[in-house]
Amino acid sequence: MDFNDTPEEAAYRVAARDWLRQHAPAHELQPGTRLSDSEEVQRGRAWQKQLADGGYAGILLPQSLGGNGGTIAQATVFGEEETRFRVPKGAYVGIGLGMALPVIGKHGTPAQIARFAAPTLRGEMTWCQLFSEPGAGSDLAAVRTRAVRDGTDWVVNGQKVWSSWAHLADWGILIVRTDSSLPKHKGLSFFVVDMKSPGIDVRPIRQISGASDFNETFFTDVRIPDSDRIGAVGDGWTCAMTVLMGERLNQGGHGNDGSITDLIQYAADTPRDGGTALDSSAVRLNLASAYAEEQAERHFQARLRTMVSRGENPGASASIIKLAYTSRYQKLAGMALELRELAGIAHAPDDIATARIMRDYIWSTALRVAGGADEVLRNQISERVLGMPSELRADKNVPFNQL
Amino acid sequence: MNFDLSDEQKMLAEQMRGLLGKRATPQRLRSLIDAGQEWDEPLWRELGELGFLGAAVPDVYGGLGLSELDLGVISEELGRVNAAVPFFSSVVLAADAIGLAGTQAQKARYLPGIASGETVATFAYAEGSAGWSDPAVHAVLEDGRLTGTKSPVADAGVAGLAVVLAKAGGRLALAVVELEQPGVLRTKLESFDQLRAHYSLRFENAAATPLEGAAAARVMPMLMDRAAVQAAFEGVGGAEACLHMARDYAAGRKIFGRSLDSYQAIKHKLADILVGVELARSSAYYAGWAAVTGAEDLPTSASAARLMAIDAFERAARENIQVHGGIGYTFDANCHFYYRRERTLALSLGGRERWADRLIAHMPGRQGQGNARGREAA
Ligand SMILES: Cc1cc2nc3c(=O)[nH]c(=O)nc-3n(C[C@H](O)[C@H](O)[C@H](O)COP(=O)(O)OP(=O)(O)OC[C@H]3O[C@@H](n4cnc5c(N)ncnc54)[C@H](O)[C@@H]3O)c2cc1C
């Protein structure tokens, strides 16, 4: 065991750091400034293009996809260095790199790879994920949006929901039902869809944060050419699983402990009862525990990466990191407000730090649901890691149209 | 022993619930937020006309002369719907401060207006993060003039009066200040709770009327204990509302061919919340009773009620969104009112740690010993 960089990794880190120092500052977002969604996406695209120019756009992706075919250690090193800068890295770029490219790479044809990989890596093509529906979230295989074959096209009707950044995405990855006479997991197929296609209507949903970066997406007689189908007809579930496993493994960030060290500093700077807030053993215990948990997640992630680098599949163990990270995140943000005591109730307009904690406390509640809700992750861990039996299900092996 | 609300109190709760169920609907709350309103003024007027705002004010000063438990019943119902009214600021804190610290003439001057709702008052105790313990107070009261900054102050945008905690001759003092005067500058802050606006108040030589009926140092702990009881009731109402929202949503949601409420993970989650709510409610009843009787264990029971209510509401507000899934994160699903109000309630009057200190300091046999570092417990 050796947690330190190997000489090659250390050299890679030095090079990455130099490159970032040279190129990242021009792309950084200033703390406290609010960009419009479309400006933010523009900035994200520009940074992605910069990464592509520097050879850092798809470190892990195979060369066949236009990536570097690098190691997971290199991707981690680069990620760690990159988080030192406030570069725009939202889902608007992440969905393409972390979801669309893997599924196209694994299940797509050479022609599809040739068409989508390069522009996505360069930030010229952005993506949204059109999976969830009003009646199909955790139970994704319950999707009702239908695609019916018509000549060389498919005609799609239905509704998707919670489609993050769909209002600004160029393309979407889409799961639909193509045969409702089969059991729910079997009758699904997977497509990529041009978001400018006639019949697609994207409507913003107002979130509790005040933002509207996810949407309802309606499909009315949308025609998708069969050449935009990914994988075989009926293989939609397999494709969707490729996407979801990638999503989970990428959760938890890059072990950026900045927010906890900031809080410890805040406590040390806050006068309380003749000393500072950091004198309180309750504060110390809470902050120390949060720090310890954060470090433990980071180290757990290092173990997962080691497994992946050896070609092993961590499977549902990847859910552990998401479960741990999101509940800590909510607890920590709640605690950070308590650390501010009465000043956590309301802040002056220029108090960016408190504003950010308030945003975190709101956002943490979304993270406990998005990309696999807590309860679903617990089921996966108990069933797939511990080998416990699954709950009784009435909907297995029954044709979807008879449910 | 009869450890239950009286029939009259239960009727009061019913009456409040009936009224608020019609007036303080989620649609109403959303439209207030959209219109940038800091309060629901018509509801406030209605509560005033029905006498609810003067529930605990003695009848000689224009109130109904009911007890702290009756007030608790009202607080719980307001918490259940997240009503956008300055009840906690005006009735629970400011009126009680005047009632405890004012002279008869001062009570006669201020309380009738507050009891009818004509006057909205607030209580300005905090100065930044630190609470209301003696060393944290820097505002100065001298010769009927107040100078200093209080922040955050709830509802100060709609209040005409503030009871302000300051220092006079180095000692804690309370004074009533008219907010509409040249020496007062109100700056609106960004509040986490979209239905409870907070301000920073800057006083520069503002005219102030010192409350001279009792010493502020003696009044403050009692006032805060009594307010903690009401905050506990409000939290219990909010927590129970979250619990019921989650239960009802789960009953109507189908996942994997079954209704969501048939899954043990959800049933246990909600059962645990219920345990928290019922324990918190019991603590609030006991502390309310201690406030009514002036029992000597009010400091410990109020602190306990506060700690229990914070825990119960925190869990309920978080898990309510969780049970709703993606819908819970939308503005129209109404979970957020509670998620935001919960933190605001948890932080006002000073957070858990302050009340834990107070509880320990007043445990039987430990009175007056302070904590390990000799800090004056809040
Ligand atoms: C911020 C955000 C962004 C999102 N972006 C996208 C996107 O871009 N594209 C997309 O397709 N989707 C997106 N989603 C949707 C997300 O994938 C779903 O919200 C998620 O899968 C949960 O589904 P649901 O919202 O329908 O909740 P439900 O599935 O209805 O779940 C409700 C609650 O029930 C619990 N539950 C579920 N099953 C069980 C069980 N067996 N036992 C006990 N409890 C259970 C869940 O854990 C949850 O607490 C996003 C969601 C959020 C919050």
Side-chain angles (χ1 to χ4, degrees):
Chain A
M1 185 183 301
D2 185 359
F3 195 75
N4 290 323
D5 289 346
T6 62
E8 297 80 45
E9 286 158 13
Y12 186 86
R13 190 183 294 277
V14 170
R17 196 173 287 178
D18 283 349
W19 184 86
L20 282 162
R21 277 210 198 104
Q22 223 179 334
H23 295 99
H27 292 268
E28 284 192 289
L29 304 172
Q30 291 316 307
T33 49
R34 289 247 174 114
L35 297 181
S36 71
D37 285 359
S38 62
E39 274 174 291
E40 195 177 334
V41 171
Q42 276 317 316
R43 303 280 298 266
R45 285 176 187 263
W47 175 236
Q48 187 59 31
K49 179 166 188 307
Q50 184 85 68
L51 288 171
D53 290 343
Y56 290 111
I59 297 170
L60 259 184
L61 286 173
Q63 280 162 348
S64 58
L65 278 177
N68 303 39
T71 64
I72 192 157
Q74 289 174 340
T76 306
V77 164
F78 190 81
E80 284 170 359
E81 296 302 322
E82 192 186 21
T83 51
R84 295 169 193 269
F85 300 88
R86 296 171 181 276
V87 285
K89 284 204 86 77
Y92 39 81
V93 175
I95 292 172
L97 298 171
M99 298 186 186
L101 284 190
V103 72
I104 294 168
K106 188 158 171 197
H107 306 279
T109 62
Q112 287 168 334
I113 292 171
R115 186 165 159 220
F116 295 113
T120 302
L121 278 173
R122 300 188 60 77
E124 289 155 8
M125 190 184 270
T126 62
W127 294 78
C128 63
Q129 179 197 16
L130 303 165
F131 282 20
S132 305
E133 297 183 6
S138 304
D139 185 8
L140 178 60
V143 295
R144 294 187 169 276
T145 297
R146 280 177 305 126
V148 177
R149 187 77 192 242
D150 181 26
T152 57
D153 286 350
W154 294 82
V155 179
V156 181
N157 280 284
Q159 184 199 342
K160 295 290 174 179
V161 75
W162 323 130
S163 336
S164 302
W165 299 96
H167 54 309
L168 294 167
D170 300 315
W171 282 74
I173 46 174
L174 173 69
I175 184 163
V176 292
R177 188 161 304 282
T178 43
D179 187 347
S180 58
S181 70
L182 296 174
K184 65 200 287 193
H185 294 85
K186 303 255 164 70
L188 302 169
S189 300
F190 203 95
F191 291 88
V192 290
V193 57
D194 184 341
M195 292 302 287
K196 285 182 286 297
S197 309
I200 295 184
D201 180 15
V202 178
R203 299 184 200 159
I205 300 174
R206 182 168 175 190
Q207 294 157 199
I208 72 177
S209 58
S212 295
D213 49 33
F214 63 33
N215 306 272
E216 295 178 289
T217 308
F218 294 88
F219 287 78
T220 311
D221 293 331
V222 175
R223 301 192 79 87
I224 302 181
D226 189 52
S227 55
D228 287 346
R229 173 168 45 80
I230 306 291
V233 173
D235 270 355
W237 187 250
T238 312
C239 294
M241 283 304 102
T242 300
V243 172
L244 295 187
M245 287 329 288
E247 182 178 15
R248 226 141 277 170
L249 202 59
N250 289 322
Q251 293 280 352
H254 297 283
N256 180 0
D257 63 4
S259 64
I260 301 178
T261 44
D262 284 355
L263 280 180
I264 293 173
Q265 192 55 49
Y266 177 87
D269 293 341
T270 303
R272 195 195 273 191
D273 306 311
T276 75
L278 200 55
D279 297 335
S280 151
S281 45
V283 168
R284 297 167 80 82
L285 177 59
N286 282 331
L287 290 173
S289 299
Y291 183 78
E293 275 176 49
E294 196 277 338
Q295 292 290 305
E297 286 161 21
R298 199 172 115 115
H299 299 149
F300 181 77
Q301 220 160 18
R303 287 170 59 206
L304 287 182
R305 288 193 182 113
T306 302
M307 283 174 76
V308 173
S309 71
R310 290 191 189 130
E312 296 163 30
N313 181 358
S317 291
S319 299
I320 295 173
I321 202 76
K322 205 226 158 197
L323 191 58
Y325 164 67
T326 56
S327 52
R328 174 179 58 78
Y329 182 39
Q330 184 174 51
K331 222 167 48 180
L332 182 66
M335 185 211 306
L337 286 173
E338 291 187 42
L339 182 58
R340 279 162 160 71
E341 298 197 83
L342 291 138
I345 295 175
H347 67 85
D350 61 354
D351 179 359
I352 296 165
T354 305
R356 182 179 147 194
I357 290 169
M358 290 180 177
R359 266 204 307 281
D360 284 348
Y361 191 62
I362 295 282
W363 178 236
S364 68
T365 189
L367 281 189
R368 285 183 59 200
V369 170
D374 289 3
E375 292 70 22
V376 170
L377 299 179
R378 290 195 182 100
N379 281 341
Q380 285 176 356
I381 291 168
S382 53
E383 291 167 20
R384 301 206 201 133
V385 183
L386 287 171
M388 299 166 85
S390 61
E391 291 192 54
L392 290 178
R393 289 182 56 167
D395 61 343
K396 276 218 162 151
N397 307 320
V398 182
F400 188 74
N401 56 16
Q402 288 170 29
L403 281 175
Chain B
M1 179 165 31
N2 168 17
F3 197 53
D4 191 10
L5 298 178
S6 68
D7 289 345
E8 290 77 14
Q9 286 160 342
K10 287 178 188 167
M11 272 173 54
L12 175 63
E14 282 297 308
Q15 204 189 345
M16 279 294 289
R17 214 179 286 193
L19 172 72
L20 294 172
K22 281 193 270 238
R23 296 283 182 279
T25 59
Q27 295 86 298
R28 175 76 183 144
L29 300 184
R30 290 199 302 268
S31 69
L32 289 169
I33 293 173
D34 284 342
Q37 294 285 327
E38 293 184 14
W39 64 331
D40 189 339
E41 188 172 358
L43 175 62
W44 180 255
R45 300 283 165 234
E46 199 168 347
L47 290 171
E49 279 156 26
L50 293 168
F52 292 129
L53 304 181
V57 172
D59 35 18
V60 288
Y61 301 121
L64 301 180
L66 299 176
S67 77
E68 288 78 356
L69 271 171
D70 300 281
L71 202 63
V73 164
I74 297 174
S75 291
E76 179 176 340
E77 295 311 320
L78 292 169
R80 190 182 305 283
V81 297
N82 252 297
V85 288
F87 186 84
F88 193 71
S89 298
S90 193
V91 178
V92 173
L93 285 166
D96 209 30
I98 294 168
L100 291 170
T103 61
Q104 274 191 10
Q106 289 173 326
K107 291 184 219 182
R109 178 169 164 202
Y110 297 115
L111 291 182
I114 297 178
S116 71
E118 205 92 350
T119 305
V120 175
T122 186
F123 185 56
Y125 55 100
E127 295 186 15
S129 74
W132 43 275
S133 64
D134 189 293
V137 177
H138 300 286
V140 173
L141 182 66
E142 208 176 352
D143 300 330
R145 294 277 154 188
L146 178 70
T147 298
T149 302
K150 306 300 285 190
S151 169
V153 184
D155 304 307
V158 299
L161 283 186
V163 179
V164 180
L165 179 65
K167 288 263 178 66
R171 292 222 184 88
L172 286 182
L174 288 164
V176 179
V177 182
E178 305 266 355
L179 293 179
E180 205 55 64
Q181 60 164 304
V184 179
L185 182 70
R186 310 185 218 192
T187 310
K188 192 168 177 181
L189 303 172
E190 311 269 346
S191 297
F192 190 56
D193 188 337
Q194 293 173 297
L195 293 165
R196 199 167 275 178
H198 290 78
Y199 282 73
S200 164
L201 294 184
R202 170 95 198 123
F203 301 98
E204 297 219 33
N205 228 18
T209 309
L211 291 173
E212 286 168 329
R218 216 164 48 74
V219 164
M220 275 306 291
M222 203 189 309
L223 174 67
M224 285 295 176
D225 283 344
R226 291 160 58 84
V229 176
Q230 298 304 320
F233 272 103
E234 188 177 341
V236 166
E240 191 168 71
C242 291
L243 175 61
H244 291 165
M245 273 178 87
R247 180 197 59 193
D248 295 347
Y249 181 78
R253 177 76 174 159
K254 219 164 183 205
I255 299 185
F256 303 115
R258 280 166 52 180
S259 81
L260 181 57
D261 67 354
S262 74
Y263 288 100
Q264 215 165 49
I266 299 297
K267 293 199 292 197
H268 286 187
K269 187 196 288 290
L270 298 191
D272 284 343
I273 295 173
L274 179 97
V275 170
V277 169
E278 288 306 329
L279 292 182
R281 184 196 307 287
S282 308
S283 308
Y285 281 9
Y286 183 83
W289 175 75
V292 172
T293 57
E296 88 181 52
D297 66 353
L298 178 62
T300 43
S301 58
S303 304
R306 177 132 178 86
L307 293 174
M308 295 301 290
I310 292 175
D311 283 352
F313 197 9
E314 176 184 69
R315 184 199 286 238
R318 290 179 182 179
E319 299 311 313
N320 182 32
I321 298 187
Q322 184 66 20
V323 169
H324 278 73
I327 290 264
Y329 196 62
T330 65
F331 186 73
D332 286 339
N334 309 320
C335 304
H336 57 105
F337 301 132
Y338 299 98
Y339 194 68
R340 290 176 181 273
R341 175 64 49 86
E342 186 280 320
R343 277 296 85 177
T344 301
L345 264 185
L347 298 173
S348 37
L349 307 179
R352 290 186 238 242
E353 239 191 292
R354 300 281 170 180
W355 290 93
D357 283 346
R358 181 155 178 79
L359 191 153
I360 297 290
H362 290 266
M363 290 281 280
R366 300 197 54 82
Q367 278 94 335
Q369 293 186 23
N371 70 7
R373 275 154 291 138
R375 107 159 60 136
E376 184 184 317

